[in-house]
Amino acid sequence: MESPMVIGAAVAAAAMGGRYFLTAWQAFRTRPEVPLLRRFYHGGFEKVMSRREAALILGVRERAVMDKIKEAHRRVMMANHPGRRGQPLSCIQDQ
C-alpha cells in the first residue's frame, strides 16, 4: 500500500533535484569568465595615497597584519611584473 506513495515521492524528488541541477548548470555556463588572477583596484587615484586606497589596491583590509600586507604586495608585484608573459622570472627569487 505504501510503496506506490514512496516511489511517487522518490520520483518527484528526483525530478525536482534534476531541475535544480539543470538550472544551476545553465547559470554556471553563462557566467562571465573571471581571469585566474584576482582583480585588483583599478582606480581613481588620489594625489596623496591614503591608507584606504592602499588597502583597496592590495586587496586587504585597512587594519591588516603586516604579513598579509607584504604577501598582497608581493602578489600584485608578481602579477604586474614585465617578465611575467612567458619569460623566466630569474630576477625574482621565491622566499
Side-chain angles (χ1 to χ4, degrees), residues 38-41 52-62 64 68 72-73 75-76:
R38 283 182 56 190
R39 293 184 181 254
F40 297 107
Y41 178 68
R52 179 185 174 278
E53 186 178 19
L56 285 171
I57 291 169
L58 293 176
V60 296
R61 294 184 180 185
E62 286 186 51
K68 286 191 177 191
H73 179 264
R75 189 174 53 243
V76 170

Side-chain angles (χ1 to χ4, degrees), residues 10-81:
V11 168
M16 289 191 309
R19 179 178 174 205
Y20 174 78
F21 175 76
L22 287 175
T23 56
W25 177 252
Q26 288 172 350
F28 176 75
R29 284 188 25 193
T30 60
R31 78 189 190 297
E33 189 170 329
V34 178
L36 295 177
L37 297 175
R38 283 182 56 190
R39 293 184 181 254
F40 297 107
Y41 178 68
H42 295 289
F45 297 107
E46 301 168 5
K47 283 192 172 203
V48 177
M49 184 179 291
S50 66
R51 189 173 187 93
R52 179 185 174 278
E53 186 178 19
L56 285 171
I57 291 169
L58 293 176
V60 296
R61 294 184 180 185
E62 286 186 51
R63 307 245 184 252
V65 193
M66 188 56 73
D67 290 338
K68 286 191 177 191
I69 293 171
K70 286 181 180 179
E71 176 60 33
H73 179 264
R74 184 174 190 279
R75 189 174 53 243
V76 170
M77 296 304 287
M78 293 287 287
N80 293 311
H81 190 274

